[in-house]
């Protein structure tokens, strides 16, 4: 049984905590409550063990049972999933995890050197085997890596050009903008291209990113040059077979990110999540050695199965045992 | 066991179908698939029995098992929940339900005369007892009725002025606007005021409605004149005790409809639904005989428990037995 603690209980942390509870070989040791809010209230109602961070009084005043402090969570966990805001993970590693001799999974908001490897399960699981510190890459990098890896294994990728139309905020964030503008990222390439190289070394990739006024998902358009001429049908077949990738279609009336999320809600997925990369069937095109496609990435949930697999890889569990178990427990196709 | 058929499988219909499946005294006889889309695909994956409407071939081509046609669903149901778009319910009643001698619950998009009574469970359950045709009123009318009824019983309401800031579309609807405008309803009063009177006869109420660029919830601001001077604390106490009303607060960092929906997702509610009217603690004010408040109404789910209670009322089940069972099965506070 792997005892997992979650530090940072926001968009990713709360989902990873729920996902850990669904695993038959893991136990959720608890979460750290940085402040009091509805997320902590909901965690408490679910029976999750809550640890304080200098705020025990505030939590208890609001009816939250406090199991102990941050230190005692570190003592009772074999591995920490650190889902704190970007940069804090590295600080936590140096101040706490190394001293307490506890393993830790970090998120894509950290720089690559926080971990011994950058992780996307279906691409490079074995690089994380028995490691102490591993970084699960960001939602966009995970989405790009899954798709590019599938095409690379099938056809050999020469280079990739991608435009990322990014969601501006997560659904629960009412203070972030913009509400009516498109905001280009004015450092080129955007950090996503270089980040994909931490997962698929040596790949040629250039990325551009634009923030759009939506909370639902990111959309990527990809232009991928491969080694040999391909047929559209072969590309579709490869993508259909690739794990954690879902082909969606206007035949099912899925015309936008709104319908993808509505579909996830209708499937009864927790929080209406869609951890699979969704690629539109009608958006796949081929011209000689070039493949074009449009995919949607659910920023809130795509890295959740990756975190679960990272925990198992770092605990020495082989890929085959982990990947299938994670998919089944999270009902991922 | 009450056999329930659902006709119209959109925002409301699909939720009522799921809610029926959670009741130990009801059986979902099936739903009618008007077309093929992701909602039908998800229903099929959940094991819901699907009936065709002249589209059996299209459904079967897409892998959907068809149990029969519309007529055979009507034959196997004791009661139909009609959640078709406004106006169609009345047509269906005249063309099918009367002929087939089947009871039917209609939604708030229909005119009041489609039913023998207009229904909000905690206000006028008994009016629907053993009736053949009942109309559950719209989301806005339901929200207004719950709150006004609670204040009326406690203090006696003299008159109500309300402004409704309405969500423009449901989350899955990618074609509707506006995306950047406020659209006033230019027929005054808006239909909501008169509609509340179908539930609470004789109440004095004037309503104005403005459509805003959001999908999450409606917000209502109410100014309620009551018979005697009241204290803010008494109002808060009355609203806290009223069923299907939830007091939310900035203490829990619930500052907008976005955080309410995020809270519902965190609670693990199906589809992230919040069927309770949410009233902000900080939004309640009192001035002599006037009460002011701000409430949010989740348009997708508020009428779901009402439909379940309407089914039981029409089947002769008394209020006490139904209301509690509905709340517990849907985990409503």
């Amino acid at each position: 049984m792997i005892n997992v603690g979650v530090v940072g209980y926001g968009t990713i942390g709360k989902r990873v905590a729920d996902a850990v509870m669904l695993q038959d070989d893991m136990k959720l040791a608890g979460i750290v409550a940085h402040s009091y809010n509805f997320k902590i209230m909901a965690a408490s109602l679910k029976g999750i063990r809550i640890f304080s961070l200098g705020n025990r009084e505030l939590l208890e005043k609001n009816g939250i049972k406090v199991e102990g402090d941050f230190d005692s969570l570190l003592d009772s966990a074999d591995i920490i999933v650190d889902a704190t805001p970007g940069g804090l993970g590295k600080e936590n590693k140096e101040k706490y995890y190394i001293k307490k001799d506890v393993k830790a999974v970090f998120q894509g908001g950290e720089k690559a050197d926080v971990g011994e490897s950058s992780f996307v399960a279906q691409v490079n699981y074995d690089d994380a085997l028995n490691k102490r510190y591993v970084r699960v890459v960001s939602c966009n990098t995970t989405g790009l890596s899954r798709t590019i890896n599938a095409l690379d294994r099938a056809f050999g990728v020469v280079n990739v050009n991608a435009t990322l139309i990014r969601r501006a905020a997560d659904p629960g964030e009412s203070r972030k903008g913009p509400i009516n503008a498109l905001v280009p990222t004015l450092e080129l390439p955007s950090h996503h291209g270089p980040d994909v190289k931490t997962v698929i070394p040596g790949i040629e990739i250039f990325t551009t990113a634009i923030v759009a006024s939506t909370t639902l998902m990111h959309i990527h358009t990809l232009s991928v040059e491969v080694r040999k001429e391909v047929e559209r049908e072969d590309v579709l077949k490869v993508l259909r077979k690739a794990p954690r990738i879902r082909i969606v279609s206007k035949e099912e009336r899925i015309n936008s990110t709104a319908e993808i999320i509505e579909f996830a809600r209708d499937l009864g997925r927790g929080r209406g999540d869609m951890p699979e990369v969704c690629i539109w069937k009608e958006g796949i095109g081929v011209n000689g050695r070039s493949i074009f496609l449009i995919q949607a990435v659910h920023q809130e949930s795509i890295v959740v199965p990756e975190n679960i697999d990272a925990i198992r890889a770092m605990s020495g569990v082989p890929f085959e045992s982990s990947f299938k178990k994670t998919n089944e427990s999270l009902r991922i196709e």
Side-chain angles (χ1 to χ4, degrees), chain A residues 232-249:
Chain A
R232 186 178 175 280
E233 275 313 302
D234 296 331
V235 175
L236 186 58
K237 208 192 287 179
V238 162
L239 295 173
R240 268 197 206 287
K241 270 180 59 184
R244 296 183 185 169
I245 291 178
R246 176 189 283 273
I247 303 297
V248 296
S249 164

PDB file of all heavy atoms in Angstrom, chain A residues 232-249:
ATOM      1  N   ARG A 232      -4.756   9.483 -44.788  1.00  0.00           N
ATOM      2  CA  ARG A 232      -5.567   9.966 -43.672  1.00  0.00           C
ATOM      3  C   ARG A 232      -6.119   8.814 -42.831  1.00  0.00           C
ATOM      4  O   ARG A 232      -6.141   8.875 -41.602  1.00  0.00           O
ATOM      5  CB  ARG A 232      -6.719  10.819 -44.240  1.00  0.00           C
ATOM      6  CG  ARG A 232      -7.548  11.494 -43.179  1.00  0.00           C
ATOM      7  CD  ARG A 232      -8.638  12.370 -43.759  1.00  0.00           C
ATOM      8  NE  ARG A 232      -9.472  12.890 -42.681  1.00  0.00           N
ATOM      9  CZ  ARG A 232     -10.441  12.197 -42.081  1.00  0.00           C
ATOM     10  NH1 ARG A 232     -10.726  10.986 -42.476  1.00  0.00           N
ATOM     11  NH2 ARG A 232     -11.128  12.748 -41.091  1.00  0.00           N
ATOM     12  N   GLU A 233      -6.543   7.749 -43.510  1.00  0.00           N
ATOM     13  CA  GLU A 233      -7.114   6.613 -42.790  1.00  0.00           C
ATOM     14  C   GLU A 233      -6.109   5.982 -41.826  1.00  0.00           C
ATOM     15  O   GLU A 233      -6.463   5.535 -40.731  1.00  0.00           O
ATOM     16  CB  GLU A 233      -7.634   5.550 -43.777  1.00  0.00           C
ATOM     17  CG  GLU A 233      -9.029   5.819 -44.276  1.00  0.00           C
ATOM     18  CD  GLU A 233     -10.002   6.189 -43.156  1.00  0.00           C
ATOM     19  OE1 GLU A 233     -10.168   5.375 -42.226  1.00  0.00           O
ATOM     20  OE2 GLU A 233     -10.584   7.308 -43.200  1.00  0.00           O
ATOM     21  N   ASP A 234      -4.814   5.946 -42.269  1.00  0.00           N
ATOM     22  CA  ASP A 234      -3.784   5.363 -41.397  1.00  0.00           C
ATOM     23  C   ASP A 234      -3.568   6.227 -40.153  1.00  0.00           C
ATOM     24  O   ASP A 234      -3.367   5.707 -39.049  1.00  0.00           O
ATOM     25  CB  ASP A 234      -2.457   5.227 -42.162  1.00  0.00           C
ATOM     26  CG  ASP A 234      -2.587   4.259 -43.327  1.00  0.00           C
ATOM     27  OD1 ASP A 234      -3.424   3.339 -43.230  1.00  0.00           O
ATOM     28  OD2 ASP A 234      -1.886   4.436 -44.336  1.00  0.00           O
ATOM     29  N   VAL A 235      -3.594   7.544 -40.350  1.00  0.00           N
ATOM     30  CA  VAL A 235      -3.429   8.456 -39.209  1.00  0.00           C
ATOM     31  C   VAL A 235      -4.569   8.250 -38.215  1.00  0.00           C
ATOM     32  O   VAL A 235      -4.360   8.109 -37.006  1.00  0.00           O
ATOM     33  CB  VAL A 235      -3.390   9.924 -39.691  1.00  0.00           C
ATOM     34  CG1 VAL A 235      -3.348  10.878 -38.496  1.00  0.00           C
ATOM     35  CG2 VAL A 235      -2.198  10.152 -40.607  1.00  0.00           C
ATOM     36  N   LEU A 236      -5.789   8.187 -38.748  1.00  0.00           N
ATOM     37  CA  LEU A 236      -6.958   7.993 -37.887  1.00  0.00           C
ATOM     38  C   LEU A 236      -6.834   6.681 -37.115  1.00  0.00           C
ATOM     39  O   LEU A 236      -7.116   6.606 -35.914  1.00  0.00           O
ATOM     40  CB  LEU A 236      -8.227   8.019 -38.753  1.00  0.00           C
ATOM     41  CG  LEU A 236      -9.557   7.982 -38.018  1.00  0.00           C
ATOM     42  CD1 LEU A 236      -9.713   9.145 -37.042  1.00  0.00           C
ATOM     43  CD2 LEU A 236     -10.729   7.991 -39.016  1.00  0.00           C
ATOM     44  N   LYS A 237      -6.386   5.639 -37.811  1.00  0.00           N
ATOM     45  CA  LYS A 237      -6.251   4.330 -37.169  1.00  0.00           C
ATOM     46  C   LYS A 237      -5.227   4.385 -36.026  1.00  0.00           C
ATOM     47  O   LYS A 237      -5.459   3.866 -34.935  1.00  0.00           O
ATOM     48  CB  LYS A 237      -5.826   3.283 -38.216  1.00  0.00           C
ATOM     49  CG  LYS A 237      -6.301   1.880 -37.884  1.00  0.00           C
ATOM     50  CD  LYS A 237      -5.665   0.813 -38.739  1.00  0.00           C
ATOM     51  CE  LYS A 237      -6.203   0.807 -40.158  1.00  0.00           C
ATOM     52  NZ  LYS A 237      -5.553  -0.246 -40.999  1.00  0.00           N
ATOM     53  N   VAL A 238      -4.085   5.028 -36.288  1.00  0.00           N
ATOM     54  CA  VAL A 238      -3.031   5.144 -35.268  1.00  0.00           C
ATOM     55  C   VAL A 238      -3.554   5.907 -34.047  1.00  0.00           C
ATOM     56  O   VAL A 238      -3.342   5.504 -32.893  1.00  0.00           O
ATOM     57  CB  VAL A 238      -1.785   5.854 -35.854  1.00  0.00           C
ATOM     58  CG1 VAL A 238      -0.864   6.373 -34.752  1.00  0.00           C
ATOM     59  CG2 VAL A 238      -1.047   4.910 -36.788  1.00  0.00           C
ATOM     60  N   LEU A 239      -4.267   7.003 -34.294  1.00  0.00           N
ATOM     61  CA  LEU A 239      -4.752   7.822 -33.173  1.00  0.00           C
ATOM     62  C   LEU A 239      -5.860   7.109 -32.409  1.00  0.00           C
ATOM     63  O   LEU A 239      -5.967   7.223 -31.185  1.00  0.00           O
ATOM     64  CB  LEU A 239      -5.218   9.186 -33.673  1.00  0.00           C
ATOM     65  CG  LEU A 239      -4.095  10.064 -34.257  1.00  0.00           C
ATOM     66  CD1 LEU A 239      -4.674  11.333 -34.887  1.00  0.00           C
ATOM     67  CD2 LEU A 239      -3.063  10.428 -33.190  1.00  0.00           C
ATOM     68  N   ARG A 240      -6.706   6.366 -33.132  1.00  0.00           N
ATOM     69  CA  ARG A 240      -7.757   5.594 -32.448  1.00  0.00           C
ATOM     70  C   ARG A 240      -7.160   4.554 -31.521  1.00  0.00           C
ATOM     71  O   ARG A 240      -7.698   4.276 -30.456  1.00  0.00           O
ATOM     72  CB  ARG A 240      -8.631   4.861 -33.480  1.00  0.00           C
ATOM     73  CG  ARG A 240      -9.839   5.631 -33.929  1.00  0.00           C
ATOM     74  CD  ARG A 240     -10.838   4.684 -34.610  1.00  0.00           C
ATOM     75  NE  ARG A 240     -11.679   5.409 -35.551  1.00  0.00           N
ATOM     76  CZ  ARG A 240     -12.655   6.239 -35.212  1.00  0.00           C
ATOM     77  NH1 ARG A 240     -12.930   6.467 -33.937  1.00  0.00           N
ATOM     78  NH2 ARG A 240     -13.381   6.849 -36.141  1.00  0.00           N
ATOM     79  N   LYS A 241      -6.038   3.959 -31.927  1.00  0.00           N
ATOM     80  CA  LYS A 241      -5.417   2.904 -31.117  1.00  0.00           C
ATOM     81  C   LYS A 241      -4.593   3.455 -29.961  1.00  0.00           C
ATOM     82  O   LYS A 241      -4.315   2.742 -28.987  1.00  0.00           O
ATOM     83  CB  LYS A 241      -4.521   2.023 -32.006  1.00  0.00           C
ATOM     84  CG  LYS A 241      -5.256   0.841 -32.625  1.00  0.00           C
ATOM     85  CD  LYS A 241      -4.361  -0.005 -33.484  1.00  0.00           C
ATOM     86  CE  LYS A 241      -3.152  -0.589 -32.746  1.00  0.00           C
ATOM     87  NZ  LYS A 241      -2.263  -1.328 -33.700  1.00  0.00           N
ATOM     88  N   ALA A 242      -4.163   4.719 -30.058  1.00  0.00           N
ATOM     89  CA  ALA A 242      -3.286   5.283 -29.020  1.00  0.00           C
ATOM     90  C   ALA A 242      -4.062   5.453 -27.717  1.00  0.00           C
ATOM     91  O   ALA A 242      -5.219   5.889 -27.726  1.00  0.00           O
ATOM     92  CB  ALA A 242      -2.725   6.620 -29.480  1.00  0.00           C
ATOM     93  N   PRO A 243      -3.454   5.127 -26.580  1.00  0.00           N
ATOM     94  CA  PRO A 243      -4.184   5.252 -25.318  1.00  0.00           C
ATOM     95  C   PRO A 243      -4.350   6.705 -24.903  1.00  0.00           C
ATOM     96  O   PRO A 243      -3.590   7.581 -25.310  1.00  0.00           O
ATOM     97  CB  PRO A 243      -3.298   4.502 -24.320  1.00  0.00           C
ATOM     98  CG  PRO A 243      -1.929   4.508 -24.915  1.00  0.00           C
ATOM     99  CD  PRO A 243      -2.105   4.591 -26.411  1.00  0.00           C
ATOM    100  N   ARG A 244      -5.365   6.948 -24.069  1.00  0.00           N
ATOM    101  CA  ARG A 244      -5.643   8.287 -23.523  1.00  0.00           C
ATOM    102  C   ARG A 244      -5.823   9.340 -24.606  1.00  0.00           C
ATOM    103  O   ARG A 244      -5.577  10.526 -24.397  1.00  0.00           O
ATOM    104  CB  ARG A 244      -4.564   8.696 -22.498  1.00  0.00           C
ATOM    105  CG  ARG A 244      -4.578   7.768 -21.299  1.00  0.00           C
ATOM    106  CD  ARG A 244      -3.601   8.137 -20.196  1.00  0.00           C
ATOM    107  NE  ARG A 244      -3.656   7.089 -19.163  1.00  0.00           N
ATOM    108  CZ  ARG A 244      -2.803   6.983 -18.162  1.00  0.00           C
ATOM    109  NH1 ARG A 244      -1.836   7.863 -18.023  1.00  0.00           N
ATOM    110  NH2 ARG A 244      -2.920   6.006 -17.291  1.00  0.00           N
ATOM    111  N   ILE A 245      -6.213   8.882 -25.777  1.00  0.00           N
ATOM    112  CA  ILE A 245      -6.607   9.788 -26.861  1.00  0.00           C
ATOM    113  C   ILE A 245      -7.998   9.337 -27.286  1.00  0.00           C
ATOM    114  O   ILE A 245      -8.237   8.141 -27.438  1.00  0.00           O
ATOM    115  CB  ILE A 245      -5.627   9.701 -28.055  1.00  0.00           C
ATOM    116  CG1 ILE A 245      -4.265  10.289 -27.655  1.00  0.00           C
ATOM    117  CG2 ILE A 245      -6.203  10.407 -29.284  1.00  0.00           C
ATOM    118  CD1 ILE A 245      -3.206  10.217 -28.734  1.00  0.00           C
ATOM    119  N   ARG A 246      -8.926  10.275 -27.422  1.00  0.00           N
ATOM    120  CA  ARG A 246     -10.291   9.953 -27.811  1.00  0.00           C
ATOM    121  C   ARG A 246     -10.604  10.673 -29.112  1.00  0.00           C
ATOM    122  O   ARG A 246     -10.334  11.872 -29.225  1.00  0.00           O
ATOM    123  CB  ARG A 246     -11.254  10.430 -26.718  1.00  0.00           C
ATOM    124  CG  ARG A 246     -12.716  10.241 -27.028  1.00  0.00           C
ATOM    125  CD  ARG A 246     -13.592  10.940 -25.992  1.00  0.00           C
ATOM    126  NE  ARG A 246     -13.682  10.206 -24.747  1.00  0.00           N
ATOM    127  CZ  ARG A 246     -14.576   9.238 -24.509  1.00  0.00           C
ATOM    128  NH1 ARG A 246     -15.457   8.909 -25.426  1.00  0.00           N
ATOM    129  NH2 ARG A 246     -14.593   8.632 -23.346  1.00  0.00           N
ATOM    130  N   ILE A 247     -11.130   9.943 -30.073  1.00  0.00           N
ATOM    131  CA  ILE A 247     -11.556  10.588 -31.317  1.00  0.00           C
ATOM    132  C   ILE A 247     -12.995  11.056 -31.120  1.00  0.00           C
ATOM    133  O   ILE A 247     -13.865  10.266 -30.738  1.00  0.00           O
ATOM    134  CB  ILE A 247     -11.467   9.619 -32.517  1.00  0.00           C
ATOM    135  CG1 ILE A 247     -10.035   9.075 -32.672  1.00  0.00           C
ATOM    136  CG2 ILE A 247     -11.930  10.303 -33.804  1.00  0.00           C
ATOM    137  CD1 ILE A 247      -8.986  10.125 -32.986  1.00  0.00           C
ATOM    138  N   VAL A 248     -13.242  12.353 -31.338  1.00  0.00           N
ATOM    139  CA  VAL A 248     -14.605  12.883 -31.254  1.00  0.00           C
ATOM    140  C   VAL A 248     -15.019  13.350 -32.644  1.00  0.00           C
ATOM    141  O   VAL A 248     -14.178  13.485 -33.538  1.00  0.00           O
ATOM    142  CB  VAL A 248     -14.703  14.042 -30.227  1.00  0.00           C
ATOM    143  CG1 VAL A 248     -14.392  13.557 -28.817  1.00  0.00           C
ATOM    144  CG2 VAL A 248     -13.798  15.196 -30.624  1.00  0.00           C
ATOM    145  N   SER A 249     -16.321  13.596 -32.817  1.00  0.00           N
ATOM    146  CA  SER A 249     -16.794  13.833 -34.174  1.00  0.00           C
ATOM    147  C   SER A 249     -18.071  14.658 -34.178  1.00  0.00           C
ATOM    148  O   SER A 249     -18.868  14.586 -33.240  1.00  0.00           O
ATOM    149  CB  SER A 249     -17.052  12.480 -34.844  1.00  0.00           C
ATOM    150  OG  SER A 249     -17.836  12.631 -35.991  1.00  0.00           O
TER     151      SER A 249
END
